[in-house]
Amino acid sequence: MNIKKTAIILNGFIHDFASGVWLAALLVICKLHGAHLQNPAVVFLVNPLERSFFWWSVAAMVTIMATGAGRTFTYVDNWYGEDAEKMRRRMLIIKHVILLVAFSLGYLFIWGKVFH
């Protein structure tokens, strides 16, 4: 296998892995915030953890966007046939609009929990 193909596969893996890290970090922040609301005595432990997970999620988001941009340059045209590719492109556009909204709403939701 050549270096270019290896880099394309690695880019895709990093993109998917960072997506999982991003979502997991937001879920952990929600759980930590819930624990801190139930027991205010743990605030001094939980607040630094919330902030740490927040910045890990930001790093994951930047990685997702960078590797997603990398995927744009390695896109294989008409892999599934012309009609299927038209539908695939439309679905990709819809998916990315939904994900942009999810990123935005996720950070609006988490911001108040982390930086209160």
Side-chain angles (χ1 to χ4, degrees):
M1 187 181 301
N2 68 28
I3 296 259
K4 183 177 178 183
K5 287 181 181 179
T6 302
I8 290 169
I9 292 168
L10 183 61
N11 183 69
F13 173 80
I14 292 170
H15 183 79
D16 294 342
F17 186 78
S19 298
V21 169
W22 179 81
L23 183 58
L26 266 59
L27 293 174
V28 168
I29 290 169
C30 287
K31 293 299 277 182
L32 286 172
H33 193 71
H36 136 214
L37 290 176
Q38 284 183 320
N39 187 0
V42 299
V43 169
F44 75 97
L45 290 171
V46 173
N47 279 351
L49 287 172
E50 286 178 344
R51 286 186 182 94
S52 178
F53 277 102
F54 176 83
W55 292 114
W56 275 103
S57 77
V58 170
M61 182 191 55
V62 169
T63 302
I64 292 165
M65 291 183 177
T67 54
R71 280 182 158 183
T72 302
F73 299 109
T74 60
Y75 184 77
V76 177
D77 202 21
N78 288 326
W79 179 263
Y80 298 105
E82 192 173 327
D83 290 337
E85 284 299 325
K86 285 180 186 176
M87 175 62 81
R88 183 171 182 244
R89 285 185 184 150
R90 257 184 271 147
M91 303 269 304
L92 280 170
I93 290 168
I94 292 167
K95 177 186 92 168
H96 284 95
V97 167
I98 291 169
L99 289 175
L100 183 63
V101 169
F103 274 137
S104 302
L105 292 176
Y107 280 115
L108 283 173
F109 179 70
I110 292 300
W111 185 265
K113 295 182 181 321
V114 175
F115 300 104
H116 48 82

